[in-house]
Amino acid sequence: MQRVGLSDFGDFSHGKELTEILSLNNNEQINSVRMSPDGRHIHVVLRKPKVSLVTFDKYERPQLAPNQKKLDLCVNVPIVDIFYLEHHGGSSSSGAAVVAVVYESGKVEFWKFQECKSGWHLLQTSQLCNSPRAKVVSVCACSNLIIWCEERPPSESSPVLSATRNMLRYCVCRRDFEVNETAVSLGGVKIALHNNPDFTVVSSGEYVHLLPDLKSKPLLNISKFFLSWSPRYDSFTVSTTCKNTPLKKLSAKESDFMKLVINCLGYLSPLEPPEICSFSPTACGGLLLLLSTGWLCLLQKDGVLRQVYKLEDNCLVNYSTHTSLGMYEDTLALIMGQNLHLIDLNCGRELEKIVLMGEALLYTNRADMCTPHLLSETGLFVVVSRGTDSRDCNFRIKSPGFSTVESIHPGALLVEAVFEEACKYYQQRSLSSTPLTVDSLKKGGRFQAPISLASILFSYLSADKLMGSLEAELKALVSLEEVKGTLVRGSVKEVEAMCESLVEKEVLRLLSSPELDKEALLYLNSIFSIFPSEGWKAAQSALQLHYNGEGFLSSRAPPDVWKTVLSAGKSTTTTSSAALPVFELLCRSVFHFQPSWLPRFLELAQKEQGSTGLGLGGDCNESNVPLYKRALYLLSSLNPDRDQQQDLEVELLLVSGRPNAILQALRILMSKKQWYRVTQVAQKCCKQSPLLNKEIFTILLCEVAHHRDLDPYLDLLWTLCPEDFTVTTILNMVLKNLPSPNTPSHSSSFLASSSTSSTPPFTDPHSTQVTVGLLKPLLRKVLQRETKPSQRYVDILQSPSFPPPALPRQPTEQSSSVTDPIADSDLCNNITPALLAETPEQQTCTQTAIQRQRVALPANTV
């Protein structure tokens, strides 16, 4: 047999949405899927997120599709079922199809499809039931009859019913219908059976089968049999699954359920018939039944139950198992899970077992009722006979959307895989430089192991146990061949989509591995090298990265993935020819596609490293290199733009949170004269620890002593002064870091120029020297917070109204214009406190005297 693709849903309206819905594969969301008899309409009834009906149509003239109305309904009442009605007015010639949508409330809508006009349009809305309180539980159409089972609640005046009577509050009703061009005519309601349990009505040819609904937990004796009703002959047949002949045939004139079956209850009481797990009507009035015992049976229209095929003993059948049945002339088709069984109806022999790529549903196409048709999430398929020995288990898969059919032989694929693996194995251990090929292995005869294994697999491939154990491998091989076919024959967009999907799967598989060996790491590097953009998308998907646009990057990836990312660290001395570790590989991808994310990615990685407990050991081995150093080393190897590299280096250093890294970042910012950024970083990082606060303040105070670029930010800097700093500490620090006279204009000399014979009493107003006036707010602040302020500096808190007496003038030698550190320290202790409180005019008056005392601080303010 071979499975040939009919459609990939590309020729259906909204085909992509249909694929997404079918891929849900969730019985809680999808209630039922129905196909039109001609295979041109697919109806999906959804339970969640809201009860709705979605229809997808195949147009003979696709250019009309955008203008056509769809049959999409979103309702508050559950939809019981949808079915097509026979149009006796000649629907085949007119191309019209009429479908009935039946709701639980009893309302029914009749819709008609006409491609040449407006698509789907509502013919009319009617009410099936006579009672407004009735609830429809199942419905079907048989010939010109609409037949349904409804639940009728007890009247308010009736006494409380027993459990038995409460289960028998249903009735089976019928109404004649006739489809016209503009309406559907309905006859009156007639009761075919009353006081019966909950039945599922199934139409098959001229018969209607009433099957017990086991989901509603009926009474034990009631669930042991089922009824077959012939409206044409007006008769009922009572049957059971444990007896191959009917128990009783009665006239349908007796419509009371209990009177029909009362004589059979005694016979059924000691029996335990198997449950009906799945069913499907046949075109000839029969019914296919899959029983809980694993038997596939055919209920013929004369009431005879025939056992056809028995599933394997270890194949359990229950309601949770995905099943689908179909009868196509002399061939029965059964889907169990992802296995399609084709069975000869006449002798019960399994013709073939086909492993499907996913779950599928069998359906019948009116144009070809002898051939099994399948509906899966990837498209529509048809299974046809190939005319070869079925034991070879060969079949042909056509990927939907392609006109070429490719032959795929799972046995041959598996044998080929054996030789390819053997070729790789022997090549690694061979001393010869001649490359081994699959053909040389097959023809040379030197290596018997792969030949023997291939022979065993080829001979016993049809064995059930071997097929079960190799099912995953066969599916993988077949999928690989489909991928190869897509890459060879597909369009550019299809190839791109295929590559993106493959890269995403491979990256996720590798990152989910407990440990990456050298070969796997090289493979991962090659993926990112050959498919850089696809690799970046795959990394985002595997790590489940989310960027909120406000500088925050989050990940919902499991810890095992992050463990693989962070545990593959190597020394930064890695050569360029070696494979990058996973963390460096991802950092490189982030830098190429989202450079601004790199600091945030490092921050996220450090957070995950702490949560997963990686890198916290005491051994100083190469795997414990801090992540920020690994990121910095990678950044330097990428040769980015100098400004961009420095900006990213600063961000990475700051994100690390380490004191030395933060100080290094500050030095980079100061070298670039980004003083606003310097102050912002200082203000934020000083809060981390007192020691770091002291280091940052010391560096910035030294900068203040060198130039005036930080003047706009002095108020902010003074707030960062450590608690244990004193006036003496500050003054000593300033004096020790004064620039030399030979410093360029950016850090011009703080003292008078040695080229002049005498020191001028006033400094240049354009000088970059630091003054007492600039330091005054800081010194005042330090004095105020001292618990026992020194009497020597108490006058700094006062503002004198008269100038202090001038110091006695003494001659000053030219060679003594620059002070030494010891003299500076002593001089610092001899500064008059009143000097710190002087006005600019008062300070200039004393400038000459201070210079004579070799003080390195000029007195003019800015």
Side-chain angles (χ1 to χ4, degrees):
M1 292 289 178
Q2 57 186 352
R3 186 164 63 100
V4 180
L6 296 177
S7 170
D8 62 344
F9 299 136
D11 49 355
F12 280 78
S13 59
H14 304 276
K16 185 176 180 181
E17 180 185 354
L18 174 58
T19 302
E20 293 175 354
I21 291 177
L22 294 179
S23 63
L24 293 175
N25 195 19
N26 190 342
N27 291 332
E28 293 182 1
Q29 291 181 293
I30 299 178
N31 184 17
S32 60
V33 180
R34 297 289 184 263
M35 289 284 298
S36 63
D38 58 1
R40 291 180 54 194
H41 310 284
I42 302 176
H43 308 275
V44 183
V45 179
L46 298 174
R47 291 191 182 99
K48 294 181 179 180
K50 192 174 182 180
V51 177
S52 59
L53 169 64
V54 188
T55 301
F56 305 90
D57 308 298
K58 179 179 179 180
Y59 289 83
E60 294 179 351
R61 289 178 289 177
Q63 65 272 14
L64 298 177
N67 301 321
Q68 305 299 310
K69 183 179 179 181
K70 288 185 63 182
L71 176 51
D72 290 350
L73 304 174
C74 188
V75 295
N76 297 321
V77 181
I79 297 175
V80 179
D81 207 348
I82 63 174
F83 51 90
Y84 280 79
L85 304 179
E86 294 184 9
H87 189 180
H88 299 288
S91 61
S92 300
S93 60
S94 62
V98 178
V99 66
V101 182
V102 181
Y103 296 85
E104 187 178 82
S105 60
K107 184 181 76 170
V108 56
E109 294 178 349
F110 298 100
W111 293 79
K112 188 174 183 179
F113 178 83
Q114 289 181 302
E115 179 174 336
C116 59
K117 294 184 179 179
S118 60
W120 289 101
H121 69 277
L122 182 63
L123 284 180
Q124 70 184 61
T125 300
S126 304
Q127 185 69 27
L128 282 182
C129 310
N130 282 335
S131 171
R133 300 174 60 198
K135 183 174 73 172
V136 177
V137 294
S138 65
V139 64
C140 69
C142 177
S143 187
N144 64 333
L145 296 175
I146 296 179
I147 300 167
W148 70 95
C149 180
E150 68 178 46
E151 177 185 1
R152 290 188 172 181
S155 62
E156 297 178 356
S157 59
S158 62
V160 179
L161 300 178
S162 63
T164 303
R165 297 295 300 173
N166 195 42
M167 295 293 296
L168 303 178
R169 63 180 185 274
Y170 298 82
C171 64
V172 177
C173 306
R174 52 178 281 188
R175 293 186 75 168
D176 298 334
F177 73 87
E178 182 178 357
V179 179
N180 301 317
E181 288 296 330
T182 58
V184 177
S185 302
L186 294 177
V189 177
K190 298 180 180 179
I191 297 179
L193 194 66
H194 62 88
N195 295 334
N196 54 272
D198 185 358
F199 276 137
T200 299
V201 293
V202 183
S203 173
S204 177
E206 297 180 349
Y207 290 82
V208 177
H209 303 280
L210 310 180
L211 305 180
D213 185 6
L214 299 181
K215 297 179 182 179
S216 62
K217 297 181 181 180
L219 297 176
L220 182 60
N221 287 341
I222 294 177
S223 64
K224 292 182 178 182
F225 56 88
F226 56 91
L227 303 178
S228 296
W229 171 37
S230 172
R232 179 180 178 183
Y233 299 104
D234 203 22
S235 64
F236 282 104
T237 301
V238 183
S239 303
T240 180
T241 56
C242 61
K243 197 173 185 300
N244 57 2
T245 57
L247 299 179
K248 193 176 183 181
K249 287 187 178 181
L250 300 168
S251 172
K253 295 179 180 179
E254 179 55 66
S255 61
D256 187 273
F257 172 77
M258 290 303 298
K259 294 181 179 180
L260 281 176
V261 301
I262 191 66
N263 295 332
C264 303
L265 295 180
Y267 174 82
L268 292 172
S269 58
L271 301 179
E272 291 185 4
E275 297 178 349
I276 300 173
C277 297
S278 183
F279 59 88
S280 176
T282 65
C284 57
L287 191 66
L288 283 177
L289 300 176
L290 180 62
L291 306 181
S292 57
T293 55
W295 273 104
L296 179 61
C297 302
L298 173 63
L299 178 67
Q300 300 175 166
K301 61 181 181 180
D302 58 357
V304 175
L305 185 66
R306 206 182 112 205
Q307 294 180 336
V308 179
Y309 176 77
K310 178 71 165 63
L311 290 171
E312 303 164 0
D313 293 337
N314 59 350
C315 186
L316 300 178
V317 183
N318 51 52
Y319 289 108
S320 61
T321 306
H322 172 72
T323 59
S324 183
L325 308 175
M327 180 174 171
Y328 305 92
E329 205 173 32
D330 291 335
T331 302
L332 300 184
L334 165 64
I335 293 180
M336 286 285 296
Q338 296 184 4
N339 295 320
L340 171 62
H341 303 265
L342 299 176
I343 302 150
D344 190 332
L345 175 62
N346 298 318
C347 61
R349 182 175 66 92
E350 185 180 74
L351 301 175
E352 189 167 0
K353 179 181 177 182
I354 300 175
V355 179
L356 305 176
M357 303 306 297
E359 293 183 354
L361 294 174
L362 290 163
Y363 71 96
T364 302
N365 190 301
R366 183 172 55 191
D368 188 7
M369 301 184 66
C370 301
T371 304
H373 288 69
L374 290 86
L375 165 68
S376 72
E377 64 183 64
T378 58
L380 302 178
F381 299 86
V382 60
V383 181
V384 296
S385 175
R386 189 180 179 89
T388 60
D389 189 354
S390 62
R391 290 177 300 174
D392 290 344
C393 195
N394 53 7
F395 55 96
R396 191 169 59 174
I397 298 179
K398 175 195 174 189
S399 297
F402 299 112
S403 59
T404 305
V405 177
E406 179 183 0
S407 296
I408 296 180
H409 189 182
L413 291 178
L414 190 58
V415 169
E416 196 73 12
V418 169
F419 279 103
E420 290 177 357
E421 191 66 24
C423 188
K424 178 180 176 183
Y425 175 84
Y426 290 125
Q427 187 71 62
Q428 291 175 347
R429 289 155 179 79
S430 175
L431 299 177
S432 175
S433 59
T434 304
L436 286 173
T437 63
V438 173
D439 291 336
S440 63
L441 284 182
K442 290 180 178 179
K443 299 176 182 178
R446 292 177 295 169
F447 307 101
Q448 294 298 320
I451 296 176
S452 300
L453 178 58
S455 177
I456 294 172
L457 291 175
F458 195 81
S459 300
Y460 293 93
L461 192 60
S462 59
D464 292 335
K465 291 184 179 180
L466 186 59
M467 276 295 294
S469 61
L470 298 178
E471 180 178 342
E473 285 74 11
L474 288 174
K475 290 170 62 178
L477 289 171
V478 171
S479 178
L480 179 60
E481 291 301 314
E482 287 184 327
V483 170
K484 292 178 181 178
T486 301
L487 295 177
V488 172
R489 299 185 302 266
S491 63
V492 175
K493 290 185 178 180
E494 289 170 337
V495 171
E496 290 177 353
M498 179 64 69
C499 291
E500 186 174 332
S501 175
L502 287 176
V503 170
E504 181 177 346
K505 292 178 181 177
E506 284 298 280
V507 170
L508 179 60
R509 180 183 66 83
L510 292 170
L511 294 185
S512 301
S513 303
E515 184 177 353
L516 287 181
D517 55 16
K518 181 180 179 180
E519 185 178 355
L521 191 58
L522 284 170
Y523 176 46
L524 184 62
N525 274 255
S526 67
I527 290 178
F528 277 84
S529 176
I530 299 173
F531 305 102
S533 60
E534 291 83 358
W536 165 236
K537 294 178 182 179
Q540 293 182 79
S541 176
L543 296 178
Q544 302 181 47
L545 295 179
H546 174 70
Y547 189 75
N548 66 353
E550 300 178 358
F552 182 74
L553 189 65
S554 61
S555 169
R556 294 192 297 270
D560 290 343
V561 173
W562 277 106
K563 187 175 181 180
T564 302
V565 171
L566 302 176
S567 63
K570 289 190 177 181
S571 174
T572 55
T573 60
T574 306
T575 62
S576 59
S577 60
L580 285 176
V582 180
F583 176 71
E584 281 81 352
L585 189 62
L586 295 179
C587 285
R588 187 178 68 178
S589 185
V590 172
F591 175 78
H592 282 312
F593 294 98
Q594 288 289 351
S596 61
W597 285 20
L598 188 56
R600 305 283 75 81
F601 180 72
L602 172 62
E603 185 178 29
L604 178 62
Q606 291 179 152
K607 177 183 175 182
E608 295 294 337
Q609 185 182 50
S611 62
T612 56
L614 293 172
L616 302 178
D619 298 335
C620 295
N621 51 38
E622 62 182 18
S623 64
N624 286 335
V625 176
L627 292 178
Y628 82 95
K629 288 188 176 181
R630 294 168 60 182
L632 286 172
Y633 175 76
L634 176 79
L635 181 63
S636 64
S637 67
L638 297 176
N639 298 322
D641 177 75
R642 179 61 182 169
D643 291 336
Q644 182 188 27
Q645 179 178 353
Q646 286 191 334
D647 292 341
L648 286 176
E649 284 179 357
V650 169
E651 292 296 330
L652 294 175
L653 290 168
L654 294 177
V655 163
S656 71
R658 303 201 176 202
N660 289 336
I662 293 174
L663 296 178
Q664 184 180 349
L666 278 176
R667 294 188 186 99
I668 296 176
L669 291 174
M670 290 189 296
S671 69
K672 300 179 69 174
K673 301 180 183 181
Q674 296 181 0
W675 303 113
Y676 176 76
R677 182 83 171 113
V678 168
T679 57
Q680 295 299 314
V681 170
Q683 185 180 22
K684 179 180 179 180
C685 297
C686 280
K687 300 175 183 179
Q688 292 188 13
S689 70
L691 183 60
L692 182 59
N693 185 7
K694 184 180 295 185
E695 292 286 342
I696 293 176
F697 184 77
T698 300
I699 292 175
L700 295 181
L701 189 59
C702 293
E703 287 294 314
V704 172
H706 278 268
H707 53 80
R708 304 293 292 274
D709 294 334
L710 282 168
D711 283 10
Y713 312 104
L714 290 180
D715 291 341
L716 174 60
L717 295 184
W718 302 154
T719 62
L720 306 180
C721 181
E723 294 290 335
D724 57 348
F725 268 38
T726 63
V727 172
T728 303
T729 305
I730 296 172
L731 292 176
N732 280 331
M733 192 176 299
V734 172
L735 292 173
K736 291 179 181 179
N737 289 278
L738 290 175
S740 65
N742 297 326
T743 305
S745 60
H746 172 71
S747 300
S748 61
S749 175
F750 192 84
L751 302 177
S753 173
S754 59
S755 64
T756 59
S757 59
S758 62
T759 305
F762 302 102
T763 59
D764 184 359
H766 301 290
S767 172
T768 60
Q769 305 173 88
V770 67
T771 64
V772 174
L774 292 175
L775 297 177
K776 182 178 177 181
L778 173 62
L779 300 177
R780 185 193 302 271
K781 177 182 178 193
V782 172
L783 285 174
Q784 284 178 341
R785 74 185 180 197
E786 289 183 359
T787 55
K788 294 181 179 180
S790 172
Q791 294 300 322
R792 187 180 306 163
Y793 303 111
V794 71
D795 291 340
I796 200 172
L797 303 178
Q798 303 174 0
S799 180
S801 59
F802 55 89
L807 296 177
R809 296 176 180 271
Q810 294 181 5
T812 303
E813 297 180 359
Q814 183 70 24
S815 61
S816 62
S817 60
V818 180
T819 63
D820 58 69
I822 299 177
D824 286 342
S825 179
D826 295 337
L827 183 60
C828 179
N829 294 327
N830 293 326
I831 294 178
T832 304
L835 179 63
L836 301 177
E838 288 180 347
T839 63
E841 294 78 4
Q842 293 168 339
Q843 291 174 358
T844 57
C845 294
T846 60
Q847 176 68 22
T848 305
I850 294 176
Q851 296 245 349
R852 288 172 182 169
Q853 290 292 332
R854 297 185 301 170
V855 176
L857 292 177
N860 64 309
T861 60
V862 176

